[in-house]
Structures are given as structure tokens and as C-alpha cells.
């Protein structure tokens, strides 16, 4: 009689689509928390998600606490044909599965297969692997938001409609409080475990606080319902806007349960497309969500594998070597605002300290932009984003941080560095009104560190980006600056942000 193999599901594979009803092992690995500084709320989320999953499945799912995935599996004889995985969720998991001789089933949890991506990428140069083309091909292949061979509404992207500024004078978008879970006995046990780990020397980032994100299938579905009912309509227009007093705005925060595997991206896609079909949601909002899920998310996943295990460590096209400020690696109980004068930077870092989350624009245009301008080490920055954000998986951050935000791969993921001055932040947020700096000033005591930082960045990296035609105009502007020397000296000497 042959016994069914045991399936090792990682903490990113906790939804029903990863489980075919056989024996399952889950591993709660505390050594990972010792090795990599992780936001306290992220550690809480992962542990509570694993424990809830084990409890909901009864005896069929074994939850093991260990300091090594490999030891936990070997000690139970789970090697060779006794062990199977549903795809690997990182290069490290893939290498471990190979060492153990485990059976590797095809990936689940994404819209497109590796074969689909490989066929699309074949023959394309690295710089031709752009997201828009991939997204378009997925739309055409799946028929999602298509009217026959034409995109719904006559265009594939409504991004241009989705750049509204925040409403003038408003502190919030005025939407209901976003869905939040009610903590239970498992959360209390997890909090006790994390307290014990801290007492034992484990250092977490950020603040503890009530759990804010879905950790079970039921909670994920409730969060999806809540988003569709209260936020979907406003999501598109205000997708890129920021408000100091409303960090969630109309964002779904569904990347969190998605990256725990609790939702399948297609079930979100089908839900929002149905809302549009029933005239309950505008196309620009729905297309924006669809693009994030079947375009961006799948693309980033495939690039993680396509670009190889050395991508992060070997990418530093702009020779960025500045270590991250020590305060980023603690996000401790003292608010970043106590140390920082730049209202945007301190506001976003405070949000991350408090919640382990900020939406994509604060990530890209405030944190990433600052790091790019100041030349933070891209590999260290990637580790930080992975540890500090509740949705930071090993596969999601490399293309987002190394490629998109820091242009450290020299143009594989993004066609040009995403540097911008304070004018962008002033236009898209309400931060500048309360800031001691002036977004229009590049020189002087109140010169905005983003505006001045933008020009100082161009000055520093000019030799590396001279051949990029999309940077020709900014570099021409740099050459016209009458106060270039003074500005560069000012930013070299800057110690306060
Ligand atoms: Fe940020 Fe500059 Fe605006 Fe201050 S003035 S909030 S530093 S962009």
C-alpha cells in the first residue's frame, strides 16, 4: 500500500486552492524571525495565519514549531516521494525541495503559468519585458475585460484617469473605516509567543497593535466584500493620491491575504469585473485592480524566477552604497516623526512603524524615491521592504525595489529611474502644507530634500544614465541649473531630512 505524500504548504499557501485534501504539514519557523528583522505585526500575521489554518483543518494538518524547515521535514521522514510542494515560493524553498528530493507540483495562486510567461518572454531582450505588454497579452489570452478582440472601453489601460489629486482641504477621503478582524484566543497566544521571543533577544521592527489584516479564508472574503462595497468606486481615481491622515484611502490592502495565499487573484478579478458588468463600479477602477492583479502581480512573480537567484545581490547599476539609516531598521516606539523634519518621509515611516503597510505611492514615490536619491544600498533596501511590510514576500520585493524603485538593474524592470522632486509629492498629497521645507526651493535653509535631492541625484548618476534617452530632458535641465554647484554641496552636507 502506498501512502499519500505529505504536502508542505508554506505560509504563503494557506488558501483552499493549495490543498487537495491529503496530509499537510505547516512549519512555524522561529529562526527566520531571529535571522531577519521583521515587523512585529508581520510576524503576528504569519504566525496567526498558520495557527488558524491548522486549527480549521483539524488533525489532517500538522503544525510544527521548528528552527529549521529542513530539520523539521527530515525528522519526520518527509523526503523523496513522501513529500510534495505546490510550486516553490522562493529560491531558498526551491533549493530545499531539491535537496530533499520532494515532488514539485505546478505553481498555483497566480493567473498565468510559468510556461505562459516563458513563451511570452522568449526572444525578448531584458528591456523588452515591460509590464504593459505582458498585461495586454494576458488580457487577450484570458478574455478578461475584453469585448471580443477589443479591450473593454476601447483601451487596455485607464491609468491616465487614475491620477486625481486628493480632494482639496480634506483630511480623509471620507470613506468608512476599512474592515478589520476581531482578534481571538489564537492571536492572544501568538502575542505571548512574540513577547517570549522578544524577551529571548529577537528584535522586531515597528509597533505591536491590534491585528488589521485578514489571516483566515473567512476574514479574507470579508475584507474582499468590504472593499467592493465601500472602496472599489473610489479606488481608480485616487489610486495615486496620498493623505497624511488617511493612509488607506480607497486601497484594498488585499495584497496581504493574497500573498498569504488566502485568496486567488482570479476570484478578485471576477468579482470586480462582475461589479462593473452590473453597473456598480466604474471601468477605470475595475481596470486598475485587474491590471494590478493579472498584470503587475503575475509579472513580478515571473520576473522573480526569470531574473535568477542572484538578481538582487548582483544589481547595483547606480553604485548605491549608502547604508539605510539605523532608525529604518528599528521603527521603534519613538515615532520617526520625532527624528525627521520632512513631513512626507516622517508621515510614511510612521505609518509603516504603526501598521507595517503603506500603499504603492508612498512606497515608490516617498520611501523609494528618497532611497534612490540618497543612494541607499538596493539589496539592503529590498531586505528592509521585505521585513517591514506585512505583504513583503521574498518574490515580490526584488523586481519592485531593485528594478522599479531603485533602477539598480539598469533598466530591465523600469525604463528610467523613478526619481522625482517635491512637486510630485505636493501635487499628489497634503504633506507639504505642514512641512518646514518648501517643495519649490532647491537651495537654502528650507530647500525641500526631495526637490534638491532630485537634482543632486541627477548630478551624481549622470555618467550612468547619459545614454538613456528618457533621461535626456532631465539631464538638460540639470546642465542649465545656475546653482548646481551650490545645490550639490548643500545636499552632500545634508544631515537632516
Ligand atoms: Fe516632503 Fe518636500 Fe513636501 Fe516637505 S516640502 S512634505 S520634504 S516634498
Amino acid at each position: 500500500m502506498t501512502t499519500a505524500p505529505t504536502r508542505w504548504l508554506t505560509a504563503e499557501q494557506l488558501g483552499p486552492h493549495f490543498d487537495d485534501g491529503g496530509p499537510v504539514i505547516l512549519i512555524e519557523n522561529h529562526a527566520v524571525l531571529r535571522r531577519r528583522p521583521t515587523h512585529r505585526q508581520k510576524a503576528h500575521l504569519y504566525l496567526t495565519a498558520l495557527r488558524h489554518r491548522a486549527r480549521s483543518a483539524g488533525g489532517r494538518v500538522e503544525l510544527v514549531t521548528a528552527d529549521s524547515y529542513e530539520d523539521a521535514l527530515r525528522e519526520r521522514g518527509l523526503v523523496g516521494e513522501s513529500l510534495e510542494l505546490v510550486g516553490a515560493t522562493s529560491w531558498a524553498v526551491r533549493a530545499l525541495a531539491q535537496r530533499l528530493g520532494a515532488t514539485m507540483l505546478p505553481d498555483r495562486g497566480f493567473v498565468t503559468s510559468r510556461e505562459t510567461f516563458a513563451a511570452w518572454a522568449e526572444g525578448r531582450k531584458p528591456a523588452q519585458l515591460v509590464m504593459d505588454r505582458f498585461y495586454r497579452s494576458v488580457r487577450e489570452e484570458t478574455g478578461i475585460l475584453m469585448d471580443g478582440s477589443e479591450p473593454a472601453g476601447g483601451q487596455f489601460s485607464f491609468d491616465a484617469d487614475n491620477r486625481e489629486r486628493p480632494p482639496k482641504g480634506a483630511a480623509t477621503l471620507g470613506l468608512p473605516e476599512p474592515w478589520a478582524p476581531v482578534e481571538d484566543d489564537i492571536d492572544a497566544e501568538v502575542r505571548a509567543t512574540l513577547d517570549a521571543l522578544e524577551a529571548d533577544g529577537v528584535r522586531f521592527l515597528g509597533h505591536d497593535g491590534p491585528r488589521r489584516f485578514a489571516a483566515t479564508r473567512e476574514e479574507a472574503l470579508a475584507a474582499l466584500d468590504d472593499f467592493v462595497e465601500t472602496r472599489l468606486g473610489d479606488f481608480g481615481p485616487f489610486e495615486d493620491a496620498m493623505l497624511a491622515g488617511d493612509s488607506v484611502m480607497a486601497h484594498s490592502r488585499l495584497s496581504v491575504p493574497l500573498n498569504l495565499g488566502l485568496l486567488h487573484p482570479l476570484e478578485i478579478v471576477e468579482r470586480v469585473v462582475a461589479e462593473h458588468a452590473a453597473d456598480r463600479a466604474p471601468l477605470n477602477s475595475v481596470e486598475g485592480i485587474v491590471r494590478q492583479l493579472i498584470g503587475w502581480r503575475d509579472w513580478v512573480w515571473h520576473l522573480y524566477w526569470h531574473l535568477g537567484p542572484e538578481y538582487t545581490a548582483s544589481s547595483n547599476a547606480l553604485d548605491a552604497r549608502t547604508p539605510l539609516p539605523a532608525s529604518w531598521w528599528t521603527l521603534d516606539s519613538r515615532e520617526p516623526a520625532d527624528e525627521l523634519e520632512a513631513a512626507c518621509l516622517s508621515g510614511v515611516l510612521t505609518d509603516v512603524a504603526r501598521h507595517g503597510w503603506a500603499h504603492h505611492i508612498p512606497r515608490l514615490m516617498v520611501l523609494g524615491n528618497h532611497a534612490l536619491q540618497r543612494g541607499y544600498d538596493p539589496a539592503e533596501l529590498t531586505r528592509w521592504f521585505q521585513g517591514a511590510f506585512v505583504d513583503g514576500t521574498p518574490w515580490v520585493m526584488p523586481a519592485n525595489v531593485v528594478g522599479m524603485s531603485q533602477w539598480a538593474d539598469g533598466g530591465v524592470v523600469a525604463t528610467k529611474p523613478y526619481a522625482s522632486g517635491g512637486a510630485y509629492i505636493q501635487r499628489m498629497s497634503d504633506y507639504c502644507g505642514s512641512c518646514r521645507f518648501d517643495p519649490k526651493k532647491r537651495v537654502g535653509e528650507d530647500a525641500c530634500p526631495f526637490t534638491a535631492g532630485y537634482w543632486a541625484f541627477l548630478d551624481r548618476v549622470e555618467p550612468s544614465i547619459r545614454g538613456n534617452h528618457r533621461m535626456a530632458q532631465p539631464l538638460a535641465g540639470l546642465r542649465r541649473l545656475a546653482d548646481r554647484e551650490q545645490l550639490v554641496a548643500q545636499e552632500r552636507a545634508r544631515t537632516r531630512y
Side-chain angles (χ1 to χ4, degrees):
M1 194 180 81
T2 52
T3 23
T6 295
R7 184 171 294 182
W8 173 29
L9 293 178
T10 72
E12 291 143 19
Q13 300 177 318
L14 301 179
H17 48 288
F18 292 100
D19 186 357
D20 295 325
V24 168
I25 185 168
L26 304 173
I27 304 173
E28 186 176 302
N29 186 340
H30 292 177
V32 172
L33 301 174
R34 287 179 214 284
R35 263 199 315 273
R36 297 188 210 131
T38 303
H39 199 294
R40 165 98 187 201
Q41 292 183 45
K42 181 181 182 184
H44 185 129
L45 186 77
Y46 271 62
L47 265 51
T48 207
L50 285 165
R51 293 182 190 187
H52 276 95
R53 181 71 183 86
R55 184 191 276 181
S56 72
R60 187 171 58 80
V61 173
E62 184 187 8
L63 175 64
V64 176
T65 302
D67 276 334
S68 156
Y69 293 118
E70 183 158 359
D71 291 352
L73 294 166
R74 284 193 190 279
E75 280 162 14
R76 285 159 182 79
L78 297 178
V79 295
E81 290 176 358
S82 304
L83 181 67
E84 66 180 16
L85 285 85
V86 188
T89 48
S90 68
W91 283 104
V93 168
R94 175 189 272 195
L96 172 55
Q98 284 170 346
R99 278 202 303 281
L100 295 171
T103 302
M104 188 65 79
L105 304 174
D107 301 317
R108 299 180 191 175
F110 293 88
V111 177
T112 51
S113 66
R114 294 204 192 185
E115 293 72 32
T116 301
F117 182 83
W120 176 80
E122 198 181 348
R124 289 174 198 259
K125 294 185 187 132
Q128 293 174 329
L129 298 173
V130 290
M131 196 283 291
D132 284 347
R133 290 190 210 172
F134 174 70
Y135 169 56
R136 200 180 159 125
S137 78
V138 180
R139 289 270 299 273
E140 286 168 339
E141 196 160 302
T142 59
I144 292 168
L145 281 184
M146 297 292 290
D147 295 329
S149 60
E150 293 301 311
Q155 56 197 66
F156 280 96
S157 170
F158 288 82
D159 207 22
D161 297 342
N162 288 357
R163 291 181 192 145
E164 281 194 25
R165 299 167 180 212
K168 218 176 173 65
T172 73
L173 269 192
L175 300 173
E177 280 294 305
W179 175 90
V182 176
E183 289 197 8
D184 62 9
D185 59 314
I186 294 181
D187 289 296
E189 286 165 20
V190 166
R191 194 161 274 114
T193 301
L194 297 177
D195 286 345
L197 285 168
E198 268 191 307
D200 196 33
V202 174
R203 194 168 53 79
F204 292 109
L205 308 183
H207 308 185
D208 190 13
R211 179 160 65 83
R212 291 175 177 83
F213 300 95
T216 69
R217 171 74 178 163
E218 292 70 28
E219 290 178 349
L221 291 171
L224 172 57
D225 283 346
D226 181 76
F227 168 67
V228 168
E229 284 158 21
T230 66
R231 285 177 151 70
L232 175 58
D234 289 307
F235 168 76
F238 297 112
E239 191 179 350
D240 287 359
M242 299 178 277
L243 281 169
D246 186 355
S247 61
V248 178
M249 297 189 75
H251 288 267
S252 75
R253 306 183 306 160
L254 292 173
S255 57
V256 184
L258 263 172
N259 289 359
L260 290 168
L262 294 167
L263 292 172
H264 192 285
L266 275 182
E267 65 187 321
I268 305 175
V269 166
E270 283 162 11
R271 182 75 188 276
V272 298
V273 168
E275 288 296 303
H276 174 61
D279 275 339
R280 288 193 295 264
L283 183 55
N284 59 321
S285 281
V286 169
E287 190 279 319
I289 290 281
V290 167
R291 183 153 26 93
Q292 284 196 352
L293 290 169
I294 73 172
W296 189 263
R297 186 172 185 271
D298 260 46
W299 183 66
V300 161
W301 162 254
H302 291 305
L303 283 181
Y304 176 72
W305 298 105
H306 185 78
L307 298 170
E310 301 306 322
Y311 172 71
T312 299
S314 63
S315 298
N316 201 346
L318 298 178
D319 195 29
R321 309 270 169 207
T322 309
L324 259 65
S327 60
W328 286 40
W329 277 116
T330 56
L331 295 175
D332 64 14
S333 54
R334 225 155 33 105
E335 302 288 14
D338 293 346
E339 295 175 5
L340 292 163
E341 295 170 350
C344 54
L345 195 54
S346 69
V348 173
L349 280 170
T350 301
D351 285 340
V352 180
R354 288 182 184 161
H355 309 310
W357 185 88
H359 74 70
H360 66 134
I361 294 298
R363 294 188 203 200
L364 181 67
M365 302 308 287
V366 178
L367 299 174
N369 191 15
H370 171 74
L372 177 67
Q373 290 180 359
R374 304 297 158 181
Y376 292 175
D377 181 283
E380 187 188 3
L381 186 70
T382 305
R383 283 197 299 281
W384 181 78
F385 268 101
Q386 192 182 322
F389 282 81
V390 285
D391 53 7
T393 59
W395 62 266
V396 83
M397 288 306 178
N400 271 301
V401 179
V402 174
M404 182 73 187
S405 152
Q406 301 302 296
W407 208 72
D409 62 12
V412 176
V413 170
T415 50
K416 69 178 179 84
Y418 259 78
S420 82
Y424 177 89
I425 295 170
Q426 184 185 30
R427 188 167 68 249
M428 297 307 293
S429 82
D430 62 350
Y431 284 117
C432 298
S434 62
C435 187
R436 89 151 189 83
F437 299 113
D438 181 342
K440 294 192 175 56
K441 295 248 182 87
R442 60 174 181 261
V443 172
E445 196 272 329
D446 58 348
C448 166
F450 281 86
T451 301
Y454 171 75
W455 294 114
F457 163 75
L458 289 182
D459 178 84
R460 179 167 60 78
V461 303
E462 186 181 9
S464 309
I465 59 172
R466 213 174 274 142
N468 184 322
H469 72 277
R470 295 198 65 196
M471 297 308 290
Q473 217 178 341
L475 289 177
L478 175 72
R479 282 177 216 117
R480 285 195 299 271
L481 284 187
D483 48 15
R484 176 172 173 176
E485 228 171 276
Q486 189 188 354
L487 179 150
V488 169
Q490 165 191 286
E491 292 310 300
R492 278 209 190 113
R494 187 186 283 277
T495 54
R496 302 284 295 173
Y497 297 100

